[in-house]
Amino acid sequence: MKANDKSSQRAGEISLSVNGISKRFPGVLALDKVSVDVHAGEVHAICGENGAGKSTLMKVIAGNYRADEGDLVFRGVKIDLRSPLQAKELGILLIHQEISLVPELTVAENIFLGSLPYNRMGFVDWQQLYRRTEEVIAKAGFKLSAKDIAGELPVARQQMVEIARAVALQSSLVIFDEPTASLTEAEAKALFDTIRQLKENGVAILYISHKLPEILQISDRVSVLRDGRYQGTLQTDEVDENAITALMIGRHLENPNDRPASHPGDEVLSIDRITVPGFIDQAELSVHAGEILGMYGLVGAGRSELAEVIFGLRDSPDVSMRWHGKPVKISSPSDAVRLGIGLVPEDRKDHGLILDMGGATNMTLPALRAVQHFGFISRDKEVRIFEDYREKLQIAARGPFASVRTLSGGNQQKIVLGKWLSTHPDLLILDEPTRGVDVGAKAEIHRLISELAKAGMAIIVISSEMPEILLLSDRAIVIHNGRVTRELPRAQLSEQTLVEGITST
């Protein structure tokens, strides 16, 4: 059978064999003799911490990178991929976490980009294009129109266009890289239904995700990478999250319930009233020194907007706030930083970091006066601060001025944490602090948050993850439709009480 014969395979046949693949970058061995098989008609998950080599392996399979050692055998034929286009022609498609559509083009044009049908005059045969697109959309079971403009669609439907492209190309192997990162629960469910349909049609699926619950839900087998090396393959129905985690990080995580009870000190911030039209309606909260206040609610409930008001990023026409017992007005982030407030934003790449700058430069941005010498920035002072927090936060970076763009998500998040810790805040607000990081980095960030609170810092943790709120909070408030519907001491925190908070009218 030729590798470019895209006829369906029998379920269970080996679709792809990865044999001893190694890939080196300057100073880094990203993959070290990795071998794994992927079968037709199965969902095969690839797990590992950030920097474990998952994305590098997927890019080798999809033709973005060429391996330094080893080989790929696809549908029984050894292949030497030199480009993503060659991989697509063979039937291998990588669907990136970042949508790769041309936003100005229609759904039809995006699906058949590179293989548009032409008539005898050399013009695009629009009638045939739309007909073929509608056939593909119907086959995939999506609610799309061939003439929709891709950039005007919600993210979930843009992802459907990416998947429809795989159907149109009759792909034999489809790689999903963090596909649910920007999806709601309902959208993720629709995606899983589509993946199961592809699986039933004999398509081999490689699936990368940090979310272990969805790995257990959607995959048949899971292979684990650690530090660029293959650690083993597990039958998903025979393992739990703890078994996968232990293989990923090489150890069992400590029991989170072992965290000792806190002893909060004086009140640091108190908000008697805060209103932001369209987002927050007469909310109130307080947080004390040495306390972790959890803030739970659905996306759009008003949690991030409340944090933005506290940090001076958003105006409120009606707010009454006290800082260490004294009335205060925060009109800008500069005001907040001078008081001693730090904010780790939800979107670290767009709002927390300057990606092309180094870790040391990013980390000292809020405290430039501390690194000045006679009015000029002292690189030595920048490096000292960076090295201090690199050790404290266990940041894996090539050097203090290496671009943070090259770091894993977990290490980028640690840079943002170090950036605000270098200002020595009294109050640290963390908005979705572990979004998009692996289980090992998540455990380290949770440990750090607990240690900071133990040392006397007041902390607000905003999270959509119920287990995170239950794990970290000394006290929690629930926000629903812009209102605080519950205030729960640790003794009353449970899944039930949190759900009751977000279903209150």
Side-chain angles (χ1 to χ4, degrees), residues 296-357:
Y296 181 71
L298 301 176
V299 174
R303 305 163 309 159
S304 295
E305 288 77 14
L306 199 159
E308 288 169 1
V309 172
I310 296 172
F311 196 64
L313 285 167
R314 183 183 291 269
D315 291 330
S316 170
D318 182 23
V319 60
S320 174
M321 193 181 307
R322 293 194 305 274
W323 180 254
H324 290 288
K326 297 180 180 179
V328 67
K329 179 174 176 59
I330 301 175
S331 301
S332 69
S334 296
D335 291 343
V337 173
R338 278 194 294 270
L339 287 172
I341 301 174
L343 170 64
V344 176
E346 179 180 10
D347 188 337
R348 59 177 170 267
K349 289 187 177 180
D350 286 343
H351 302 137
L353 295 167
I354 301 176
L355 293 175
D356 291 322
M357 284 186 175

Side-chain angles (χ1 to χ4, degrees), residues 446-464:
H446 286 169
R447 175 188 56 78
L448 174 66
I449 292 170
S450 296
E451 288 180 356
L452 292 172
K454 187 176 179 181
M457 189 180 294
I459 296 176
I460 297 176
V461 173
I462 302 170
S463 180
S464 304

